[in-house]
Amino acid sequence: MSKARHLIVPLLLAAGLAACDQNAATAENAAATDGAEATESGNTAGMATAEADIAAANQAAAPAATEAAPAKTQAATIAALPLKRGYYVESDTPCGQASNATTTLLRRNGIGGARDFCEFKKIEQTGPNTYRVTEACGDLQDNAPPETSTSVYSLTGDTAFTAKSEHGWERSARYCAQSSMPPDWRGNDISDVTG
């Protein structure tokens, strides 16, 4: 029995030491894991703080950026230009001296002169008195299909406008009552296109 005791004690001692070493290794691993978690937690907290700082800086800069950039306004599509329908004569020509070259007729669906007509395809209000008009324009004496382009109309009340085409031409005209026009225009019945 004493031999067995001599064997058991060293075995127990070895087993105990092995258990102690395992516990020590486990403790070291746990400490390392806790340290890594603490570092990761510190990094996460640091990142969260950095992200919060960036968000605060962006929020502070946002009003300045908004003020610096011009506001984009939504263009409202409307059915017709808010102008009186009828004859419009170039601004520098008296109504009583109008000619084919200086006169246009504003109709329900477009505007045209003696040789051309522009049908309004889309009218968008872009400002208090400003309108972007997509129009299909064609020569009345030519069989070529109309060409679509965009013009910007700036209105002065409901009786005058300046139109600027994307192609570079510009025209300013004002409303002339039919009764103030030369005799050739006074007798025309335009009610079917202006009413």
PDB file of all heavy atoms in Angstrom, residues 81 83 88 90-91 104 111 118 120 129-133 135 150-156 160-174:
ATOM      1  N   LEU A  81     -49.154  80.014 -71.125  1.00  0.00           N
ATOM      2  CA  LEU A  81     -48.493  81.218 -70.625  1.00  0.00           C
ATOM      3  C   LEU A  81     -49.569  82.203 -70.155  1.00  0.00           C
ATOM      4  O   LEU A  81     -50.583  82.367 -70.831  1.00  0.00           O
ATOM      5  CB  LEU A  81     -47.656  81.873 -71.734  1.00  0.00           C
ATOM      6  CG  LEU A  81     -46.365  81.172 -72.122  1.00  0.00           C
ATOM      7  CD1 LEU A  81     -45.741  81.840 -73.350  1.00  0.00           C
ATOM      8  CD2 LEU A  81     -45.378  81.183 -70.965  1.00  0.00           C
ATOM      9  N   LEU A  83     -50.495  85.113 -70.570  1.00  0.00           N
ATOM     10  CA  LEU A  83     -50.494  86.300 -71.418  1.00  0.00           C
ATOM     11  C   LEU A  83     -51.846  86.410 -72.111  1.00  0.00           C
ATOM     12  O   LEU A  83     -52.494  85.391 -72.390  1.00  0.00           O
ATOM     13  CB  LEU A  83     -49.406  86.190 -72.501  1.00  0.00           C
ATOM     14  CG  LEU A  83     -47.950  86.309 -72.075  1.00  0.00           C
ATOM     15  CD1 LEU A  83     -47.027  85.873 -73.217  1.00  0.00           C
ATOM     16  CD2 LEU A  83     -47.628  87.738 -71.659  1.00  0.00           C
ATOM     17  N   TYR A  88     -49.148  90.315 -80.962  1.00  0.00           N
ATOM     18  CA  TYR A  88     -48.002  90.891 -80.260  1.00  0.00           C
ATOM     19  C   TYR A  88     -47.089  91.486 -81.318  1.00  0.00           C
ATOM     20  O   TYR A  88     -46.805  90.854 -82.338  1.00  0.00           O
ATOM     21  CB  TYR A  88     -47.263  89.834 -79.434  1.00  0.00           C
ATOM     22  CG  TYR A  88     -47.980  89.553 -78.131  1.00  0.00           C
ATOM     23  CD1 TYR A  88     -49.117  88.763 -78.098  1.00  0.00           C
ATOM     24  CD2 TYR A  88     -47.543  90.139 -76.943  1.00  0.00           C
ATOM     25  CE1 TYR A  88     -49.796  88.541 -76.909  1.00  0.00           C
ATOM     26  CE2 TYR A  88     -48.212  89.926 -75.747  1.00  0.00           C
ATOM     27  CZ  TYR A  88     -49.341  89.129 -75.744  1.00  0.00           C
ATOM     28  OH  TYR A  88     -50.023  88.932 -74.575  1.00  0.00           O
ATOM     29  N   GLU A  90     -43.416  93.679 -82.115  1.00  0.00           N
ATOM     30  CA  GLU A  90     -42.079  93.965 -81.579  1.00  0.00           C
ATOM     31  C   GLU A  90     -42.128  95.247 -80.753  1.00  0.00           C
ATOM     32  O   GLU A  90     -42.794  96.212 -81.128  1.00  0.00           O
ATOM     33  CB  GLU A  90     -41.056  94.104 -82.709  1.00  0.00           C
ATOM     34  CG  GLU A  90     -40.838  92.840 -83.521  1.00  0.00           C
ATOM     35  CD  GLU A  90     -40.198  91.693 -82.757  1.00  0.00           C
ATOM     36  OE1 GLU A  90     -39.368  91.958 -81.859  1.00  0.00           O
ATOM     37  OE2 GLU A  90     -40.530  90.540 -83.048  1.00  0.00           O
ATOM     38  N   SER A  91     -41.416  95.252 -79.638  1.00  0.00           N
ATOM     39  CA  SER A  91     -41.485  96.346 -78.670  1.00  0.00           C
ATOM     40  C   SER A  91     -41.153  97.718 -79.243  1.00  0.00           C
ATOM     41  O   SER A  91     -41.694  98.723 -78.795  1.00  0.00           O
ATOM     42  CB  SER A  91     -40.564  96.063 -77.487  1.00  0.00           C
ATOM     43  OG  SER A  91     -41.004  94.913 -76.812  1.00  0.00           O
ATOM     44  N   THR A 104     -46.588  88.829 -84.289  1.00  0.00           N
ATOM     45  CA  THR A 104     -46.852  87.412 -84.014  1.00  0.00           C
ATOM     46  C   THR A 104     -48.248  87.314 -83.403  1.00  0.00           C
ATOM     47  O   THR A 104     -48.763  88.284 -82.840  1.00  0.00           O
ATOM     48  CB  THR A 104     -45.823  86.802 -83.046  1.00  0.00           C
ATOM     49  OG1 THR A 104     -45.793  87.567 -81.852  1.00  0.00           O
ATOM     50  CG2 THR A 104     -44.445  86.748 -83.650  1.00  0.00           C
ATOM     51  N   ILE A 111     -47.391  80.146 -80.639  1.00  0.00           N
ATOM     52  CA  ILE A 111     -47.192  81.501 -81.141  1.00  0.00           C
ATOM     53  C   ILE A 111     -46.564  81.418 -82.524  1.00  0.00           C
ATOM     54  O   ILE A 111     -45.739  80.552 -82.796  1.00  0.00           O
ATOM     55  CB  ILE A 111     -46.314  82.327 -80.170  1.00  0.00           C
ATOM     56  CG1 ILE A 111     -46.345  83.809 -80.526  1.00  0.00           C
ATOM     57  CG2 ILE A 111     -44.899  81.770 -80.089  1.00  0.00           C
ATOM     58  CD1 ILE A 111     -45.767  84.707 -79.436  1.00  0.00           C
ATOM     59  N   CYS A 118     -44.824  78.151 -83.741  1.00  0.00           N
ATOM     60  CA  CYS A 118     -44.219  77.333 -82.686  1.00  0.00           C
ATOM     61  C   CYS A 118     -45.328  76.824 -81.776  1.00  0.00           C
ATOM     62  O   CYS A 118     -46.008  77.619 -81.102  1.00  0.00           O
ATOM     63  CB  CYS A 118     -43.227  78.156 -81.867  1.00  0.00           C
ATOM     64  SG  CYS A 118     -41.757  78.651 -82.801  1.00  0.00           S
ATOM     65  N   PHE A 120     -46.584  75.089 -78.506  1.00  0.00           N
ATOM     66  CA  PHE A 120     -46.103  74.874 -77.150  1.00  0.00           C
ATOM     67  C   PHE A 120     -46.349  73.422 -76.764  1.00  0.00           C
ATOM     68  O   PHE A 120     -47.487  72.970 -76.714  1.00  0.00           O
ATOM     69  CB  PHE A 120     -46.804  75.803 -76.158  1.00  0.00           C
ATOM     70  CG  PHE A 120     -46.577  77.269 -76.403  1.00  0.00           C
ATOM     71  CD1 PHE A 120     -47.525  78.202 -76.026  1.00  0.00           C
ATOM     72  CD2 PHE A 120     -45.414  77.735 -76.994  1.00  0.00           C
ATOM     73  CE1 PHE A 120     -47.323  79.561 -76.227  1.00  0.00           C
ATOM     74  CE2 PHE A 120     -45.194  79.093 -77.209  1.00  0.00           C
ATOM     75  CZ  PHE A 120     -46.157  80.002 -76.824  1.00  0.00           C
ATOM     76  N   ASN A 129     -42.018  85.308 -62.859  1.00  0.00           N
ATOM     77  CA  ASN A 129     -42.435  85.775 -64.186  1.00  0.00           C
ATOM     78  C   ASN A 129     -41.651  85.101 -65.301  1.00  0.00           C
ATOM     79  O   ASN A 129     -41.557  85.625 -66.401  1.00  0.00           O
ATOM     80  CB  ASN A 129     -42.238  87.303 -64.290  1.00  0.00           C
ATOM     81  CG  ASN A 129     -43.023  88.045 -63.233  1.00  0.00           C
ATOM     82  OD1 ASN A 129     -44.201  87.809 -63.049  1.00  0.00           O
ATOM     83  ND2 ASN A 129     -42.355  88.920 -62.509  1.00  0.00           N
ATOM     84  N   THR A 130     -41.059  83.946 -65.010  1.00  0.00           N
ATOM     85  CA  THR A 130     -40.177  83.276 -65.966  1.00  0.00           C
ATOM     86  C   THR A 130     -40.715  81.876 -66.271  1.00  0.00           C
ATOM     87  O   THR A 130     -41.109  81.142 -65.369  1.00  0.00           O
ATOM     88  CB  THR A 130     -38.754  83.165 -65.390  1.00  0.00           C
ATOM     89  OG1 THR A 130     -38.347  84.451 -64.916  1.00  0.00           O
ATOM     90  CG2 THR A 130     -37.773  82.709 -66.442  1.00  0.00           C
ATOM     91  N   TYR A 131     -40.683  81.526 -67.560  1.00  0.00           N
ATOM     92  CA  TYR A 131     -41.233  80.253 -68.008  1.00  0.00           C
ATOM     93  C   TYR A 131     -40.292  79.612 -69.018  1.00  0.00           C
ATOM     94  O   TYR A 131     -39.801  80.282 -69.929  1.00  0.00           O
ATOM     95  CB  TYR A 131     -42.613  80.473 -68.663  1.00  0.00           C
ATOM     96  CG  TYR A 131     -43.584  81.113 -67.708  1.00  0.00           C
ATOM     97  CD1 TYR A 131     -43.599  82.500 -67.539  1.00  0.00           C
ATOM     98  CD2 TYR A 131     -44.443  80.349 -66.941  1.00  0.00           C
ATOM     99  CE1 TYR A 131     -44.461  83.096 -66.635  1.00  0.00           C
ATOM    100  CE2 TYR A 131     -45.308  80.943 -66.035  1.00  0.00           C
ATOM    101  CZ  TYR A 131     -45.312  82.315 -65.889  1.00  0.00           C
ATOM    102  OH  TYR A 131     -46.157  82.905 -64.978  1.00  0.00           O
ATOM    103  N   ARG A 132     -40.052  78.323 -68.837  1.00  0.00           N
ATOM    104  CA  ARG A 132     -39.265  77.549 -69.802  1.00  0.00           C
ATOM    105  C   ARG A 132     -40.278  76.830 -70.689  1.00  0.00           C
ATOM    106  O   ARG A 132     -41.107  76.053 -70.213  1.00  0.00           O
ATOM    107  CB  ARG A 132     -38.353  76.553 -69.091  1.00  0.00           C
ATOM    108  CG  ARG A 132     -37.489  75.742 -70.039  1.00  0.00           C
ATOM    109  CD  ARG A 132     -36.487  74.823 -69.328  1.00  0.00           C
ATOM    110  NE  ARG A 132     -37.071  74.108 -68.215  1.00  0.00           N
ATOM    111  CZ  ARG A 132     -36.662  74.232 -66.953  1.00  0.00           C
ATOM    112  NH1 ARG A 132     -35.690  75.040 -66.631  1.00  0.00           N
ATOM    113  NH2 ARG A 132     -37.237  73.529 -65.995  1.00  0.00           N
ATOM    114  N   VAL A 133     -40.206  77.122 -72.003  1.00  0.00           N
ATOM    115  CA  VAL A 133     -41.198  76.589 -72.936  1.00  0.00           C
ATOM    116  C   VAL A 133     -40.506  75.674 -73.943  1.00  0.00           C
ATOM    117  O   VAL A 133     -39.580  76.084 -74.641  1.00  0.00           O
ATOM    118  CB  VAL A 133     -41.931  77.742 -73.672  1.00  0.00           C
ATOM    119  CG1 VAL A 133     -42.957  77.190 -74.642  1.00  0.00           C
ATOM    120  CG2 VAL A 133     -42.590  78.686 -72.669  1.00  0.00           C
ATOM    121  N   GLU A 135     -40.968  73.974 -77.337  1.00  0.00           N
ATOM    122  CA  GLU A 135     -41.839  74.255 -78.475  1.00  0.00           C
ATOM    123  C   GLU A 135     -41.335  73.567 -79.735  1.00  0.00           C
ATOM    124  O   GLU A 135     -40.139  73.383 -79.912  1.00  0.00           O
ATOM    125  CB  GLU A 135     -41.978  75.769 -78.685  1.00  0.00           C
ATOM    126  CG  GLU A 135     -40.692  76.544 -78.643  1.00  0.00           C
ATOM    127  CD  GLU A 135     -40.877  78.054 -78.489  1.00  0.00           C
ATOM    128  OE1 GLU A 135     -42.002  78.543 -78.325  1.00  0.00           O
ATOM    129  OE2 GLU A 135     -39.856  78.739 -78.536  1.00  0.00           O
ATOM    130  N   THR A 150     -36.072  74.796 -76.873  1.00  0.00           N
ATOM    131  CA  THR A 150     -36.533  75.390 -75.624  1.00  0.00           C
ATOM    132  C   THR A 150     -36.248  76.883 -75.639  1.00  0.00           C
ATOM    133  O   THR A 150     -35.176  77.306 -76.062  1.00  0.00           O
ATOM    134  CB  THR A 150     -35.816  74.746 -74.424  1.00  0.00           C
ATOM    135  OG1 THR A 150     -36.045  73.336 -74.466  1.00  0.00           O
ATOM    136  CG2 THR A 150     -36.339  75.285 -73.111  1.00  0.00           C
ATOM    137  N   SER A 151     -37.226  77.663 -75.191  1.00  0.00           N
ATOM    138  CA  SER A 151     -37.065  79.111 -75.044  1.00  0.00           C
ATOM    139  C   SER A 151     -37.446  79.495 -73.629  1.00  0.00           C
ATOM    140  O   SER A 151     -38.270  78.829 -73.003  1.00  0.00           O
ATOM    141  CB  SER A 151     -37.964  79.865 -76.028  1.00  0.00           C
ATOM    142  OG  SER A 151     -37.580  79.608 -77.355  1.00  0.00           O
ATOM    143  N   VAL A 152     -36.862  80.574 -73.148  1.00  0.00           N
ATOM    144  CA  VAL A 152     -37.221  81.103 -71.835  1.00  0.00           C
ATOM    145  C   VAL A 152     -37.982  82.399 -72.063  1.00  0.00           C
ATOM    146  O   VAL A 152     -37.476  83.325 -72.715  1.00  0.00           O
ATOM    147  CB  VAL A 152     -35.972  81.343 -70.961  1.00  0.00           C
ATOM    148  CG1 VAL A 152     -36.354  82.025 -69.655  1.00  0.00           C
ATOM    149  CG2 VAL A 152     -35.263  80.027 -70.692  1.00  0.00           C
ATOM    150  N   TYR A 153     -39.207  82.437 -71.560  1.00  0.00           N
ATOM    151  CA  TYR A 153     -40.059  83.622 -71.670  1.00  0.00           C
ATOM    152  C   TYR A 153     -40.044  84.354 -70.331  1.00  0.00           C
ATOM    153  O   TYR A 153     -40.345  83.766 -69.291  1.00  0.00           O
ATOM    154  CB  TYR A 153     -41.497  83.221 -71.998  1.00  0.00           C
ATOM    155  CG  TYR A 153     -41.735  82.850 -73.440  1.00  0.00           C
ATOM    156  CD1 TYR A 153     -41.276  81.655 -73.968  1.00  0.00           C
ATOM    157  CD2 TYR A 153     -42.443  83.708 -74.283  1.00  0.00           C
ATOM    158  CE1 TYR A 153     -41.503  81.314 -75.291  1.00  0.00           C
ATOM    159  CE2 TYR A 153     -42.680  83.375 -75.609  1.00  0.00           C
ATOM    160  CZ  TYR A 153     -42.204  82.181 -76.109  1.00  0.00           C
ATOM    161  OH  TYR A 153     -42.430  81.848 -77.421  1.00  0.00           O
ATOM    162  N   SER A 154     -39.709  85.646 -70.387  1.00  0.00           N
ATOM    163  CA  SER A 154     -39.788  86.511 -69.216  1.00  0.00           C
ATOM    164  C   SER A 154     -40.954  87.464 -69.466  1.00  0.00           C
ATOM    165  O   SER A 154     -40.949  88.204 -70.459  1.00  0.00           O
ATOM    166  CB  SER A 154     -38.496  87.300 -69.030  1.00  0.00           C
ATOM    167  OG  SER A 154     -37.418  86.412 -68.818  1.00  0.00           O
ATOM    168  N   LEU A 155     -41.947  87.434 -68.594  1.00  0.00           N
ATOM    169  CA  LEU A 155     -43.162  88.215 -68.795  1.00  0.00           C
ATOM    170  C   LEU A 155     -43.147  89.508 -67.994  1.00  0.00           C
ATOM    171  O   LEU A 155     -42.615  89.554 -66.887  1.00  0.00           O
ATOM    172  CB  LEU A 155     -44.386  87.401 -68.371  1.00  0.00           C
ATOM    173  CG  LEU A 155     -44.953  86.405 -69.381  1.00  0.00           C
ATOM    174  CD1 LEU A 155     -43.917  85.497 -69.973  1.00  0.00           C
ATOM    175  CD2 LEU A 155     -46.074  85.609 -68.762  1.00  0.00           C
ATOM    176  N   THR A 156     -43.743  90.531 -68.581  1.00  0.00           N
ATOM    177  CA  THR A 156     -44.001  91.787 -67.883  1.00  0.00           C
ATOM    178  C   THR A 156     -45.515  91.904 -67.843  1.00  0.00           C
ATOM    179  O   THR A 156     -46.143  92.226 -68.858  1.00  0.00           O
ATOM    180  CB  THR A 156     -43.375  92.985 -68.637  1.00  0.00           C
ATOM    181  OG1 THR A 156     -41.977  92.742 -68.793  1.00  0.00           O
ATOM    182  CG2 THR A 156     -43.585  94.272 -67.863  1.00  0.00           C
ATOM    183  N   ALA A 160     -46.768  91.643 -72.137  1.00  0.00           N
ATOM    184  CA  ALA A 160     -45.460  91.808 -72.777  1.00  0.00           C
ATOM    185  C   ALA A 160     -44.540  90.664 -72.379  1.00  0.00           C
ATOM    186  O   ALA A 160     -44.667  90.095 -71.291  1.00  0.00           O
ATOM    187  CB  ALA A 160     -44.835  93.148 -72.384  1.00  0.00           C
ATOM    188  N   PHE A 161     -43.622  90.329 -73.288  1.00  0.00           N
ATOM    189  CA  PHE A 161     -42.665  89.260 -72.996  1.00  0.00           C
ATOM    190  C   PHE A 161     -41.367  89.495 -73.743  1.00  0.00           C
ATOM    191  O   PHE A 161     -41.314  90.198 -74.745  1.00  0.00           O
ATOM    192  CB  PHE A 161     -43.242  87.888 -73.365  1.00  0.00           C
ATOM    193  CG  PHE A 161     -43.425  87.674 -74.845  1.00  0.00           C
ATOM    194  CD1 PHE A 161     -42.376  87.204 -75.640  1.00  0.00           C
ATOM    195  CD2 PHE A 161     -44.646  87.936 -75.459  1.00  0.00           C
ATOM    196  CE1 PHE A 161     -42.538  87.000 -77.000  1.00  0.00           C
ATOM    197  CE2 PHE A 161     -44.815  87.739 -76.826  1.00  0.00           C
ATOM    198  CZ  PHE A 161     -43.760  87.274 -77.598  1.00  0.00           C
ATOM    199  N   THR A 162     -40.333  88.854 -73.241  1.00  0.00           N
ATOM    200  CA  THR A 162     -39.063  88.709 -73.948  1.00  0.00           C
ATOM    201  C   THR A 162     -38.793  87.219 -73.989  1.00  0.00           C
ATOM    202  O   THR A 162     -38.848  86.546 -72.957  1.00  0.00           O
ATOM    203  CB  THR A 162     -37.914  89.439 -73.211  1.00  0.00           C
ATOM    204  OG1 THR A 162     -38.209  90.835 -73.179  1.00  0.00           O
ATOM    205  CG2 THR A 162     -36.587  89.224 -73.912  1.00  0.00           C
ATOM    206  N   ALA A 163     -38.569  86.704 -75.178  1.00  0.00           N
ATOM    207  CA  ALA A 163     -38.284  85.281 -75.352  1.00  0.00           C
ATOM    208  C   ALA A 163     -36.843  85.115 -75.814  1.00  0.00           C
ATOM    209  O   ALA A 163     -36.404  85.812 -76.733  1.00  0.00           O
ATOM    210  CB  ALA A 163     -39.236  84.664 -76.368  1.00  0.00           C
ATOM    211  N   LYS A 164     -36.125  84.213 -75.147  1.00  0.00           N
ATOM    212  CA  LYS A 164     -34.745  83.907 -75.526  1.00  0.00           C
ATOM    213  C   LYS A 164     -34.674  82.422 -75.867  1.00  0.00           C
ATOM    214  O   LYS A 164     -34.986  81.573 -75.037  1.00  0.00           O
ATOM    215  CB  LYS A 164     -33.786  84.223 -74.384  1.00  0.00           C
ATOM    216  CG  LYS A 164     -33.695  85.699 -74.069  1.00  0.00           C
ATOM    217  CD  LYS A 164     -32.726  85.954 -72.931  1.00  0.00           C
ATOM    218  CE  LYS A 164     -32.699  87.432 -72.568  1.00  0.00           C
ATOM    219  NZ  LYS A 164     -31.806  87.715 -71.455  1.00  0.00           N
ATOM    220  N   SER A 165     -34.220  82.143 -77.073  1.00  0.00           N
ATOM    221  CA  SER A 165     -34.124  80.767 -77.535  1.00  0.00           C
ATOM    222  C   SER A 165     -32.789  80.157 -77.130  1.00  0.00           C
ATOM    223  O   SER A 165     -31.798  80.869 -76.980  1.00  0.00           O
ATOM    224  CB  SER A 165     -34.248  80.732 -79.059  1.00  0.00           C
ATOM    225  OG  SER A 165     -33.828  79.488 -79.579  1.00  0.00           O
ATOM    226  N   GLU A 166     -32.777  78.847 -76.992  1.00  0.00           N
ATOM    227  CA  GLU A 166     -31.520  78.155 -76.717  1.00  0.00           C
ATOM    228  C   GLU A 166     -30.554  78.289 -77.893  1.00  0.00           C
ATOM    229  O   GLU A 166     -29.355  78.069 -77.748  1.00  0.00           O
ATOM    230  CB  GLU A 166     -31.773  76.684 -76.397  1.00  0.00           C
ATOM    231  CG  GLU A 166     -32.307  75.878 -77.572  1.00  0.00           C
ATOM    232  CD  GLU A 166     -32.573  74.432 -77.213  1.00  0.00           C
ATOM    233  OE1 GLU A 166     -31.752  73.814 -76.505  1.00  0.00           O
ATOM    234  OE2 GLU A 166     -33.626  73.909 -77.632  1.00  0.00           O
ATOM    235  N   HIS A 167     -31.061  78.695 -79.059  1.00  0.00           N
ATOM    236  CA  HIS A 167     -30.224  78.874 -80.250  1.00  0.00           C
ATOM    237  C   HIS A 167     -29.634  80.279 -80.328  1.00  0.00           C
ATOM    238  O   HIS A 167     -28.891  80.588 -81.247  1.00  0.00           O
ATOM    239  CB  HIS A 167     -31.020  78.572 -81.513  1.00  0.00           C
ATOM    240  CG  HIS A 167     -31.553  77.170 -81.545  1.00  0.00           C
ATOM    241  ND1 HIS A 167     -30.738  76.062 -81.552  1.00  0.00           N
ATOM    242  CD2 HIS A 167     -32.830  76.703 -81.547  1.00  0.00           C
ATOM    243  CE1 HIS A 167     -31.486  74.965 -81.567  1.00  0.00           C
ATOM    244  NE2 HIS A 167     -32.751  75.334 -81.557  1.00  0.00           N
ATOM    245  N   GLY A 168     -30.015  81.158 -79.391  1.00  0.00           N
ATOM    246  CA  GLY A 168     -29.399  82.479 -79.324  1.00  0.00           C
ATOM    247  C   GLY A 168     -30.267  83.646 -79.758  1.00  0.00           C
ATOM    248  O   GLY A 168     -29.922  84.787 -79.489  1.00  0.00           O
ATOM    249  N   TRP A 169     -31.375  83.414 -80.439  1.00  0.00           N
ATOM    250  CA  TRP A 169     -32.183  84.572 -80.847  1.00  0.00           C
ATOM    251  C   TRP A 169     -33.010  85.082 -79.663  1.00  0.00           C
ATOM    252  O   TRP A 169     -33.296  84.359 -78.725  1.00  0.00           O
ATOM    253  CB  TRP A 169     -33.067  84.264 -82.051  1.00  0.00           C
ATOM    254  CG  TRP A 169     -34.073  83.152 -81.868  1.00  0.00           C
ATOM    255  CD1 TRP A 169     -33.949  81.870 -82.307  1.00  0.00           C
ATOM    256  CD2 TRP A 169     -35.333  83.225 -81.201  1.00  0.00           C
ATOM    257  NE1 TRP A 169     -35.052  81.127 -81.945  1.00  0.00           N
ATOM    258  CE2 TRP A 169     -35.929  81.949 -81.268  1.00  0.00           C
ATOM    259  CE3 TRP A 169     -36.032  84.228 -80.547  1.00  0.00           C
ATOM    260  CZ2 TRP A 169     -37.165  81.652 -80.713  1.00  0.00           C
ATOM    261  CZ3 TRP A 169     -37.271  83.941 -79.985  1.00  0.00           C
ATOM    262  CH2 TRP A 169     -37.815  82.662 -80.082  1.00  0.00           C
ATOM    263  N   GLU A 170     -33.362  86.353 -79.734  1.00  0.00           N
ATOM    264  CA  GLU A 170     -34.150  86.979 -78.681  1.00  0.00           C
ATOM    265  C   GLU A 170     -35.210  87.865 -79.326  1.00  0.00           C
ATOM    266  O   GLU A 170     -34.953  88.521 -80.331  1.00  0.00           O
ATOM    267  CB  GLU A 170     -33.235  87.822 -77.788  1.00  0.00           C
ATOM    268  CG  GLU A 170     -33.931  88.437 -76.603  1.00  0.00           C
ATOM    269  CD  GLU A 170     -32.965  89.146 -75.668  1.00  0.00           C
ATOM    270  OE1 GLU A 170     -31.803  88.703 -75.551  1.00  0.00           O
ATOM    271  OE2 GLU A 170     -33.385  90.139 -75.058  1.00  0.00           O
ATOM    272  N   ARG A 171     -36.403  87.876 -78.720  1.00  0.00           N
ATOM    273  CA  ARG A 171     -37.495  88.683 -79.251  1.00  0.00           C
ATOM    274  C   ARG A 171     -38.260  89.299 -78.092  1.00  0.00           C
ATOM    275  O   ARG A 171     -38.599  88.614 -77.129  1.00  0.00           O
ATOM    276  CB  ARG A 171     -38.424  87.777 -80.078  1.00  0.00           C
ATOM    277  CG  ARG A 171     -39.729  88.411 -80.468  1.00  0.00           C
ATOM    278  CD  ARG A 171     -40.624  87.505 -81.296  1.00  0.00           C
ATOM    279  NE  ARG A 171     -40.815  86.219 -80.668  1.00  0.00           N
ATOM    280  CZ  ARG A 171     -41.284  85.152 -81.296  1.00  0.00           C
ATOM    281  NH1 ARG A 171     -41.585  85.200 -82.559  1.00  0.00           N
ATOM    282  NH2 ARG A 171     -41.448  84.020 -80.653  1.00  0.00           N
ATOM    283  N   SER A 172     -38.524  90.604 -78.188  1.00  0.00           N
ATOM    284  CA  SER A 172     -39.343  91.300 -77.192  1.00  0.00           C
ATOM    285  C   SER A 172     -40.565  91.847 -77.903  1.00  0.00           C
ATOM    286  O   SER A 172     -40.450  92.481 -78.960  1.00  0.00           O
ATOM    287  CB  SER A 172     -38.572  92.458 -76.551  1.00  0.00           C
ATOM    288  OG  SER A 172     -37.529  91.958 -75.755  1.00  0.00           O
ATOM    289  N   ALA A 173     -41.728  91.593 -77.326  1.00  0.00           N
ATOM    290  CA  ALA A 173     -42.970  92.042 -77.955  1.00  0.00           C
ATOM    291  C   ALA A 173     -43.991  92.403 -76.883  1.00  0.00           C
ATOM    292  O   ALA A 173     -43.871  91.984 -75.733  1.00  0.00           O
ATOM    293  CB  ALA A 173     -43.513  90.953 -78.871  1.00  0.00           C
ATOM    294  N   ARG A 174     -44.965  93.188 -77.303  1.00  0.00           N
ATOM    295  CA  ARG A 174     -46.043  93.573 -76.396  1.00  0.00           C
ATOM    296  C   ARG A 174     -47.370  93.380 -77.106  1.00  0.00           C
ATOM    297  O   ARG A 174     -47.447  93.386 -78.333  1.00  0.00           O
ATOM    298  CB  ARG A 174     -45.863  95.012 -75.942  1.00  0.00           C
ATOM    299  CG  ARG A 174     -46.167  95.940 -77.076  1.00  0.00           C
ATOM    300  CD  ARG A 174     -45.914  97.373 -76.785  1.00  0.00           C
ATOM    301  NE  ARG A 174     -46.164  98.277 -77.871  1.00  0.00           N
ATOM    302  CZ  ARG A 174     -45.726  98.200 -79.114  1.00  0.00           C
ATOM    303  NH1 ARG A 174     -45.018  97.183 -79.529  1.00  0.00           N
ATOM    304  NH2 ARG A 174     -46.005  99.132 -79.992  1.00  0.00           N
TER     305      ARG A 174
END
